[in-house]
Amino acid sequence: MSNPFTQFYKKNVNERKDVLKSLTLFDEALDIHAGDHTFNHIIENYITTYEVPLGIAPDFLIEGQKYHIPMATEEPSVIAGAAHAAKIIERNGGFKIESISREMIGQIIFKNIKDQETFKNTLLGIETKIFELAKIAHPQIHELGGGLRSYRVEIKEHNFVTLYATIDTLDAMGANTINTILERIAKYVESTYQVETLMSILSNLAVSSVVKASVLLDPKTLKFSDKIAESIHQAYLYASIDPYRAATHNKGIMNGITALMLATGNDTRAIESGAHAYASITGKYLPLTKWEVIDGMIKGTIEIPLALGTVGGSMGVLPKAKLARKILNVSSAKELMKVAACLGLAQNFAAIYALTTDGINKGHMRLHARNIAISAGAKDDQIEAVIQYMIDRNTITLDTAKAYLTKNPSLWRILFFIFQNQDIFHEITSLHLTYCLSLQ
């Protein structure tokens, strides 16, 4: 059976939608603008919407199951890189999930605590009451099987004592759930023990909501197979010793994850914050992926916190977020975590593979040139010619694109010019009439 996503990038927009419809992964009713009324109630001082393209990176084979990943991004090479990496990884057996945990962390920070040790022991000694308060604060999450799982207390500098609560928010990202539970506990502790709370808030460093995924690649399936394994390993190795490179290394990972989070209506800032904090948790900023050579094979691993959700917030309101989740076809937050981690690993592989072989510009600049051609005013039938013209001259600029269009105007531009100049129009008409009469 042929793959409907073969040369997906060459299809037009309607053909791509038809592919998704054939797999029951598309709904025309969700492919709509939400409207000013909806947006005006989501944010303050709403004036308009800002459009970002939504595309598909198809055929991600994860634990034996195929996913077609929706990505909202303005960067030309992101989806192309992810799709290319997915093809290579599929030929090598796909992605494996090595481990996953799914709990969130919140903090109640008490200030001006003079006898910190006594207060810490007090909090640890009222465990039954704290769990009771958590259930009272949010009975629904507990009835559904989630809620407070555990807590710990730490003494901090400057007379702070912090209670860290681990909470299962099920399929929601859970910020409101966490904050509701924390505030109820804090209020009780304040009134009972006459202490002050600085704040009660979730943490975006979600060390209890972490997924680890891996791939195993045969160098024979890659370009420069005799040296590619060592090159990829060295690319990781260098990122592990230089924070300047590590920052760009991790940014490449987030290119994919952030695009998926934006498409599915998740909090991209929370995900980015958690990822970069996790990269620094040892006190040194490190890459979120690791690439090793094991028995001649290339093993890539990603370990990343993902405080995401599949229900709640604006994702239940925005039609395009619903459409993205329909395309992705995941049934839980854990499943979305798996897909997001694998996408980040694929995106990282695509970048490192390009950097250590042809260089990042070969593919990226061609896609960038497309944007330049469109900005210069190229029509659909001119875009490829303009791109090639700029690439042949190794000058991807607006002036170069305009220079080509000036020398090679489209038929419509020629006709427009003629009709705008009546004398030329009449002369051409007269010549055409004379020619026709000569044929009689």
Side-chain angles (χ1 to χ4, degrees):
M1 183 171 145
S2 62
N3 186 343
F5 288 96
T6 300
Q7 295 194 317
F8 195 62
Y9 69 100
K10 289 187 176 180
K11 300 180 188 296
N12 63 39
V13 174
N14 287 329
E15 288 171 338
R16 291 177 195 141
K17 288 181 180 180
D18 287 341
V19 168
L20 294 171
K21 287 176 188 175
S22 72
L23 300 169
T24 66
L25 297 176
F26 197 87
D27 185 347
E28 294 278 7
L30 297 176
D31 188 16
I32 58 171
H33 183 78
D36 287 348
H37 176 78
T38 299
F39 291 119
N40 193 43
H41 285 83
I42 291 177
I43 64 167
E44 293 294 320
N45 303 331
Y46 164 77
I47 56 167
T48 187
T49 56
Y50 178 81
E51 297 292 330
V52 175
L54 178 69
I56 304 293
D59 290 334
F60 270 69
L61 183 62
I62 302 171
E63 298 276 279
Q65 183 174 340
K66 283 281 189 77
Y67 294 89
H68 312 298
I69 303 179
M71 301 172 69
T73 181
E74 85 298 341
E75 189 170 337
S77 59
V78 167
I79 295 177
H84 180 56
K87 287 179 183 176
I88 293 171
I89 292 167
E90 182 185 3
R91 289 199 295 267
N92 282 272
F95 299 87
K96 306 297 179 191
I97 303 301
E98 299 196 4
S99 62
I100 186 167
S101 57
R102 170 69 189 170
E103 291 176 335
M104 298 293 292
I105 294 171
Q107 297 175 283
I108 305 174
I109 304 168
F110 299 98
K111 64 179 181 178
N112 302 325
I113 306 298
K114 293 192 168 101
D115 189 346
Q116 292 172 294
E117 192 66 42
T118 298
F119 184 59
K120 174 183 175 180
N121 291 332
T122 297
L123 292 176
L124 292 174
I126 58 168
E127 180 178 345
T128 302
K129 184 63 177 179
I130 284 178
F131 274 88
E132 178 188 324
L133 290 165
K135 288 181 181 179
I136 292 170
H138 206 305
Q140 185 181 21
I141 195 73
H142 289 84
E143 287 167 8
L144 293 171
L148 181 65
R149 291 286 181 254
S150 63
Y151 73 93
R152 58 188 169 86
V153 183
E154 289 188 9
I155 292 171
K156 302 290 188 181
E157 294 178 287
H158 308 297
N159 297 322
F160 292 114
V161 173
T162 302
L163 184 152
Y164 292 86
T166 301
I167 298 170
D168 184 349
T169 60
L170 302 177
D171 287 324
M173 186 270 186
N176 292 333
T177 299
I178 295 165
N179 295 339
T180 299
I181 291 172
L182 296 178
E183 286 170 7
R184 186 61 180 262
I185 295 169
K187 186 176 180 180
Y188 170 81
V189 173
E190 279 183 319
S191 62
T192 305
Y193 301 103
Q194 286 74 55
V195 293
E196 294 180 276
T197 301
L198 178 65
M199 65 182 74
S200 302
I201 187 70
L202 87 160
S203 172
N204 291 125
L205 179 52
V207 297
S208 296
S209 187
V210 175
V211 57
K212 185 175 182 180
S214 66
V215 294
L216 198 62
L217 306 175
D218 186 341
K220 294 187 182 68
T221 63
L222 306 176
K223 292 182 287 187
F224 307 109
S225 57
D226 59 328
K227 60 181 180 180
I228 190 62
E230 186 58 26
S231 295
I232 289 175
H233 170 64
Q234 288 183 333
Y236 151 73
L237 198 62
Y238 187 77
S240 70
I241 63 172
D242 184 345
Y244 292 90
R245 172 60 202 149
T248 310
H249 179 105
N250 289 342
K251 185 267 181 185
I253 294 168
M254 301 314 294
N255 274 343
I257 293 174
T258 299
L260 173 58
M261 294 300 97
L262 185 59
T264 54
N266 273 281
D267 185 343
T268 58
R269 289 84 52 203
I271 299 296
E272 292 266 3
S273 171
H276 293 298
Y278 197 70
S280 308
I281 201 165
T282 62
K284 178 183 177 182
Y285 188 81
L286 295 169
L288 291 162
T289 59
K290 184 176 184 179
W291 294 92
E292 307 168 275
V293 182
I294 301 174
D295 297 329
M297 301 288 278
I298 305 166
K299 183 175 183 180
T301 308
I302 184 169
E303 185 174 286
I304 187 168
L306 291 168
L308 50 76
T310 53
V311 297
S314 61
M315 66 179 66
V317 176
L318 297 176
K320 296 290 177 67
K322 292 180 184 178
L323 178 61
R325 293 200 305 279
K326 181 175 182 63
I327 292 167
L328 188 56
N329 194 28
V330 297
S331 59
S332 68
K334 272 191 175 181
E335 192 176 7
L336 180 55
M337 286 175 68
K338 294 175 184 179
V339 173
C342 292
L343 176 57
L345 184 57
Q347 209 80 61
N348 181 235
F349 168 70
I352 291 177
Y353 187 35
L355 283 165
T356 56
T357 54
D358 300 325
I360 202 72
N361 266 3
K362 183 176 180 181
H364 179 79
M365 290 310 289
R366 187 171 191 89
L367 291 164
H368 175 61
R370 181 177 296 275
N371 286 344
I372 297 294
I374 294 169
S375 297
K379 305 301 180 187
D380 285 352
D381 60 343
Q382 295 177 299
I383 290 173
E384 289 303 320
V386 175
I387 291 171
Q388 198 57 53
Y389 181 81
M390 290 189 285
I391 288 173
D392 289 345
R393 283 153 184 76
N394 198 29
T395 310
I396 315 296
T397 67
L398 196 60
D399 287 342
T400 307
K402 287 181 176 178
Y404 175 87
L405 292 172
T406 301
K407 293 176 185 176
N408 302 276
S410 68
L411 175 60
W412 289 111
R413 187 172 292 184
I414 293 169
L415 291 174
F416 179 77
F417 174 78
I418 290 171
F419 285 117
Q420 287 292 305
N421 293 269
Q422 294 297 318
D423 292 341
I424 295 175
F425 175 70
H426 288 308
E427 186 175 342
I428 290 173
T429 305
S430 177
L431 288 170
H432 178 68
L433 180 60
T434 301
Y435 174 71
C436 290
L437 290 172
S438 71
L439 295 176
Q440 294 179 354

